[in-house]
Amino acid sequence: MSAETLYPLQNGIGNMVRSLFPETAFIINPALGLISVVILVSILAAFLILLERKVVAHFQVRLGPMRVGYHGILQPLADGIKLLFKEILKPKGADSFTFFLAPMLPLTATFLIMVIMPFDHHLQLVDPAGGVLYVLGISGLTVLGILLGGWSSNNKLSLLGAMRSGAQMISFEISLALIMLLIVMLSGTASLRGIVLSQQGLIFDWWIFKLPFLGILSFIMYLVASTAELNRTPFDLAEAESELTAGYHTEYSGMGFAMFFFAEFVNMFISAGLATTFFLGGFHPPLIGISAVDGLLNIIPGFLWFFGKTFFIVFVYMWFRWTFPRVRIDQLMSLEWKMMLPANLLLLILGAVFMVLGWA
Amino acid sequence: MTTQSAKKYRLDGDTLPEGFRLPQSDTEDADEFFVNIGPQHPSTHGVLRIVARLSGETIVEAVPHLGYIHRGIEKMAENQTYIQNIHLTDRLDYLSAFFNNLCFCMAVEQAMDIGVPERGEYLRVMVCELQRIQSHLLWWGVMGMDLGGFTPFLYGFREREMITDIFEEMCGARLTMNFFRPGGSSFDAPDTFVPRIKKFIKIMYKALDEYHTLLTGNIIFQERTRGVGVLSREDVLSYGCSGAVLRASDVSYDIRKNDAYSIYDQFDFDIPSCTEGDSLARYQIKMEEIVQSLRILEQAVEKFPEGPYRSQPKAVYKLPQGSYYSQVETPRGLFGTYIVSDGGPKPYRVKYRSPNFSNLSALNHAAKGLKLADLVTIMSSMDFVIPDMDK
């Protein structure tokens, strides 16, 4: 039986609201959706910041935050309060409107993408047919925010950081898009839910394994390209504290900085979530074909699988960040334009050949 | 980048201080702009200010501006007695405080013809080599951090802390150690000195393997340093560079071998040298120097003799008229002390020859035409300590 018939797209809460308040359901349902996304993003941001601090602490053989709450669990709250009370400064000569608009754009982008993340069979707010296109389009907002923030700060180091970031993110988005295109081509759909459902079955039906060795290769390339897209080490040239002090957000304080920061962290989750969706079977459990084991794996709900895989990728991003030095801007650009882009084009052709031959 | 607000605040080039001036818009250099790296910047390792003229990300010129930490130590020296002067020397380059102490004491010893007992000499060599490792460990961590990896910074500090503890137990200070005196040192080594060094040597060899795995073997690190900031043999000689900067460019010159002081001639160790002259070569030299210092320490702890640690000359030193010079090999290169005495209890004139100052002069030459990020790489591979160059 096909996945669509097994798990037809239905909305339990939405149906309930519609039956209880038939008149105002068209307002209540979107409002509920928005509230849930807001809650999810804020919890995720706080959790990821704590996670990063704990992971780096263990990489660096130290404890990390330990004082606020059990094992520093309330530390994000303390950070948040601190950031709220910090004075918001604007450098002399900065372009006020742009300067304060800029940090909102990346944060907006994270909300907009969160809306179409397929967390589980029925845990997805909307599933547009062109989900992949939507993701690529929206992620441009992050670049825009960073560019505007750096440009309007009236600081040459910020401007350099913003220019670097713009060049870097736009270039690597091409690679990212090509890798996504490969998966879209293989699964025959551009909807994120459709891509997940196309990987239904055993663990070997996930795109990372199903495509003979090209799957793992393109997964690694996705990791590289998305790390660059996220501006994280070894590609954190936009911030590059040793060269540009803090790059595009040098002049931001308090909540302005926090918005950039939150966006960066939630974007990391989104990138990892997309990796899960595209390569690791999304919310599907890693079935191995032995019914006893598979029965147990099937008991665990899909969203737990999704979060488990996603946080594993998040951990890999953190692993990169705390062990690698930073590349130089010209090395970064030559990596994209001279290696990743040709390799991706080749990959696309090979993927097509595999499809025609029926191997994938 | 002339925005509306730039016009409003008249950022047109005439109202700005020197170094901030934008080129005239009608010249060929219109794309070039100035960026101040420092005086407070995470990778200037202190208050160094470098005015970089950039064309995009490419360095056209990098001019160091000094004077932000100037304390007039050489002038202060003229108003202090010789013993009081020793504590000023460890404020120069706080990562090689013992070396500076030693250099000043050696000049006084030379003038007064004071000998040092064998235990005192061993103490000097061991303490200095420990500090060379300590300084290199900080440099290694900072180099990792300058290249964007924060973890090496903390790993370097982990082993450095062991040496700092040894120093703290020995003389009470952890950074600006004031230990050597003409004729030896101010205290004897504590009983735990040798066992602690033995333990440290064991741990350090293992830690070095870890360092090489974490940073040296990393492909990004190698790409960032190989061929970056190349200085030829002629360059380093003409700029008067010393230390690892000199030895990375195919000049195997080390005061410990070429003008052996203290009892360095009794130890078996090598002076590493490379031919490439780039940042990676300077890095490799320094890493190898840690191994060589460990070798010296291994030999010294085996032979550490009993006996007096200091010959006891009279407490107030009055150097005979004349001029005296002594030099030591610090972790960063040649450090020299030149004392002119008029026969009084205070020096008539003191001049320090610091390794960082001459190494810094080669920076522009090495960085020209490279990217902004390479400037940081070169600076950290040259291992600057600012108070030393800006006395």
Side-chain angles (χ1 to χ4, degrees):
Chain A
M1 214 185 291
S2 84
E4 275 84 356
T5 27
L6 260 176
Y7 304 103
L9 204 54
Q10 50 171 270
N11 183 343
I13 299 172
N15 290 342
M16 197 173 75
V17 171
R18 267 188 284 273
S19 63
L20 288 176
F21 312 100
E23 296 298 307
T24 47
F26 74 100
I27 298 174
I28 296 175
N29 270 336
L32 281 177
L34 281 180
I35 290 168
S36 55
V37 167
V38 169
I39 292 172
L40 181 70
V41 169
S42 18
I43 292 176
L44 265 180
F47 179 71
L48 284 166
I49 289 167
L50 182 71
L51 187 72
E52 175 106 290
R53 293 170 74 152
K54 280 294 183 188
V55 167
V56 58
H58 284 88
F59 268 100
Q60 294 172 349
V61 207
R62 56 190 176 88
L63 289 170
M66 286 296 280
R67 295 189 181 221
V68 195
Y70 177 74
H71 276 250
I73 208 159
L74 296 177
Q75 188 64 47
L77 195 72
D79 289 343
I81 292 170
K82 185 191 82 176
L83 286 167
L84 269 177
F85 283 95
K86 266 196 164 180
E87 189 184 357
I88 294 173
L89 299 167
K90 181 180 82 74
K92 204 174 177 182
D95 199 319
S96 288
F97 176 71
T98 326
F99 185 76
F100 291 117
L101 173 78
M104 294 177 197
L105 295 175
L107 199 62
T108 316
T110 63
F111 284 108
L112 288 175
I113 296 186
M114 217 42 129
V115 166
I116 65 157
M117 284 298 256
F119 295 105
D120 203 346
H121 288 293
H122 302 121
L123 219 58
Q124 186 183 16
L125 274 188
V126 276
D127 182 38
V132 176
L133 279 178
Y134 175 84
V135 168
L136 287 170
I138 296 296
S139 60
L141 271 183
T142 316
V143 193
L144 193 65
I146 289 176
L147 266 175
L148 287 180
W151 175 78
S152 63
S153 289
N154 192 28
N155 176 335
K156 285 174 212 168
L157 298 177
S158 300
L159 183 71
L160 269 176
M163 288 304 171
R164 280 178 171 192
S165 165
Q168 167 186 343
M169 290 172 89
I170 291 167
S171 325
F172 275 89
E173 205 150 289
I174 299 172
S175 273
L176 215 55
L178 285 176
I179 298 169
M180 287 180 178
L181 186 62
L182 176 74
I183 303 298
V184 169
M185 190 175 80
L186 292 168
S187 48
T189 169
S191 112
L192 292 185
R193 185 179 133 88
I195 290 170
V196 176
L197 292 178
S198 71
Q199 301 173 66
Q200 208 202 14
L202 302 182
I203 187 168
F204 306 107
D205 288 320
W206 297 358
W207 288 122
I208 183 172
F209 299 121
K210 199 172 182 180
L211 204 59
F213 43 78
L214 288 191
I216 290 175
L217 190 69
S218 52
F219 177 65
I220 292 169
M221 293 219 292
Y222 178 89
L223 279 188
V224 174
S226 60
T227 314
E229 174 82 7
L230 287 170
N231 278 332
R232 282 177 71 86
T233 316
F235 306 115
D236 61 339
L237 290 144
E239 291 164 38
E241 81 288 341
S242 61
E243 297 141 37
L244 306 178
T245 59
Y248 66 92
H249 61 58
T250 309
E251 300 293 353
Y252 283 92
S253 65
M255 282 319 283
F257 169 73
M259 278 193 232
F260 275 126
F261 204 61
F262 280 6
E264 189 186 315
F265 275 89
V266 180
N267 267 331
M268 179 167 67
F269 176 84
I270 287 172
S271 269
L274 289 175
T276 308
T277 307
F278 283 113
F279 291 99
L280 302 181
F283 42 71
H284 291 307
L287 306 177
I288 49 172
I290 301 164
S291 54
V293 182
D294 289 355
L296 281 174
L297 293 176
N298 270 326
I299 294 172
I300 300 170
F303 67 91
L304 285 185
W305 282 116
F306 179 86
F307 278 102
K309 292 169 190 174
T310 305
F311 276 110
F312 172 72
I313 309 265
V314 166
F315 174 75
V316 173
Y317 285 141
M318 290 178 178
W319 191 351
F320 286 168
R321 177 163 185 184
W322 297 112
T323 44
F324 285 163
R326 182 185 305 122
V327 299
R328 209 170 53 211
I329 185 76
D330 55 321
Q331 293 170 343
L332 176 93
M333 297 309 269
S334 67
L335 173 75
E336 162 62 17
W337 293 100
K338 293 180 188 163
M339 289 172 70
M340 296 270 288
L341 188 62
N344 270 319
L345 290 170
L346 199 68
L347 208 67
L348 210 57
I349 296 166
L350 282 177
V353 171
F354 277 30
M355 260 185 85
V356 172
L357 294 176
W359 292 354
Chain B
M1 61 176 284
T2 311
T3 57
Q4 283 298 318
S5 21
K7 275 181 199 140
K8 188 170 146 200
Y9 289 96
R10 299 196 53 206
L11 300 176
D12 51 6
D14 299 329
T15 47
L16 289 165
E18 188 197 351
F20 286 91
R21 210 181 311 120
L22 299 169
Q24 292 297 313
S25 54
D26 52 351
T27 60
E28 279 182 12
D29 302 335
D31 291 342
E32 291 175 2
F33 60 99
F34 289 92
V35 169
N36 272 283
I37 319 274
Q40 281 93 6
H41 188 272
S43 63
T44 53
H45 304 187
V47 282
L48 176 64
R49 177 187 175 209
I50 290 175
V51 178
R53 195 162 109 222
L54 300 179
S55 170
E57 289 253 354
T58 311
I59 299 163
V60 182
E61 200 178 11
V63 183
H65 286 213
L66 295 182
Y68 291 91
I69 202 172
H70 189 73
R71 293 166 297 184
I73 281 189
E74 285 165 336
K75 190 69 193 165
M76 282 161 78
E78 294 167 16
N79 296 310
Q80 313 244 21
T81 64
Y82 290 98
I83 289 286
Q84 285 170 336
N85 255 312
I86 297 172
H87 84 91
L88 279 183
T89 60
D90 51 51
R91 266 80 181 164
L92 281 173
D93 175 354
Y94 38 72
L95 295 180
S96 52
F98 282 125
F99 293 89
N100 303 351
N101 282 181
L102 177 63
C103 192
F104 193 86
C105 292
M106 275 164 53
V108 175
E109 282 161 11
Q110 182 199 337
M112 304 280 291
D113 202 17
I114 301 168
V116 183
E118 200 190 6
R119 188 178 169 89
E121 292 281 23
Y122 265 88
L123 206 53
R124 285 184 170 185
V125 167
M126 286 159 82
V127 163
C128 281
E129 291 312 311
L130 270 179
Q131 185 156 43
R132 193 184 308 280
I133 299 172
Q134 187 202 31
S135 169
H136 281 2
L137 284 178
L138 180 67
W139 156 82
W140 180 80
V142 166
M143 176 132 188
M145 197 169 72
D146 279 346
L147 293 175
F150 192 73
T151 308
F153 187 63
L154 288 145
Y155 279 26
F157 265 101
R158 193 181 52 186
E159 271 76 44
R160 188 181 189 271
E161 198 68 10
M162 294 185 69
I163 304 180
T164 312
D165 287 345
I166 295 175
F167 290 163
E168 187 184 15
E169 194 182 34
M170 202 174 64
C171 64
R174 288 168 69 85
L175 188 70
T176 50
M177 285 78 74
N178 175 28
F179 185 59
F180 294 133
R181 295 286 177 275
S185 51
S186 51
F187 311 105
D188 197 2
D191 296 338
T192 50
F193 187 58
V194 170
R196 281 186 121 167
I197 293 179
K198 279 183 178 164
K199 189 182 163 200
F200 169 75
I201 292 171
K202 243 186 240 167
I203 290 174
M204 194 57 223
Y205 276 121
K206 275 185 208 148
L208 270 175
D209 290 340
E210 198 179 21
Y211 293 176
H212 287 306
T213 316
L214 182 62
L215 204 59
T216 321
N218 189 295
I219 179 81
I220 299 174
F221 174 79
Q222 292 184 355
E223 287 291 314
R224 279 291 304 276
T225 49
R226 186 174 285 128
V228 167
V230 179
L231 288 169
S232 70
R233 195 185 153 90
E234 289 71 33
D235 293 335
V236 286
L237 288 173
S238 71
Y239 282 111
C241 299
S242 55
V245 182
L246 185 70
R247 291 192 284 275
S249 300
D250 202 20
V251 186
S252 180
Y253 181 78
D254 190 310
I255 309 291
R256 290 177 294 171
K257 281 273 189 209
N258 298 73
D259 181 18
Y261 56 96
S262 194
I263 48 164
Y264 274 108
D265 48 356
Q266 295 180 20
F267 294 101
D268 178 29
F269 65 102
D270 302 319
I271 302 299
S273 80
C274 284
T275 50
E276 291 88 354
D278 56 2
S279 298
L280 186 62
R282 289 191 277 272
Y283 173 89
Q284 283 164 338
I285 298 261
K286 281 194 176 263
M287 291 309 269
E288 185 56 29
E289 273 180 11
I290 297 180
V291 178
Q292 296 304 326
S293 291
L294 287 172
R295 269 180 73 193
I296 296 176
L297 280 173
E298 274 173 342
Q299 295 166 42
V301 289
E302 290 308 317
K303 289 190 278 186
F304 192 47
E306 292 294 322
Y309 63 96
R310 182 184 183 183
S311 56
Q312 293 290 336
K314 56 185 173 185
V316 177
Y317 296 95
K318 282 185 181 172
L319 268 58
Q321 272 193 354
S323 60
Y324 309 98
Y325 179 73
S326 63
Q327 55 185 15
V328 294
E329 181 75 25
T330 75
R332 272 155 287 280
L334 193 158
F335 182 83
T337 305
Y338 182 71
I339 301 175
V340 180
S341 170
D342 57 359
K346 295 170 184 175
Y348 176 74
R349 182 81 181 88
V350 171
K351 171 84 181 85
Y352 296 113
R353 187 267 178 220
S354 55
N356 289 307
F357 187 75
S358 21
N359 288 354
L360 178 75
S361 62
L363 179 72
N364 186 27
H365 183 84
K368 211 177 274 184
L370 300 176
K371 296 280 180 283
L372 179 61
D374 293 330
L375 182 70
V376 176
T377 312
I378 298 165
M379 283 204 290
S380 49
S381 75
M382 286 183 173
D383 191 13
F384 293 135
V385 170
I386 314 303
D388 183 42
M389 60 174 78
D390 192 7
K391 297 178 284 286

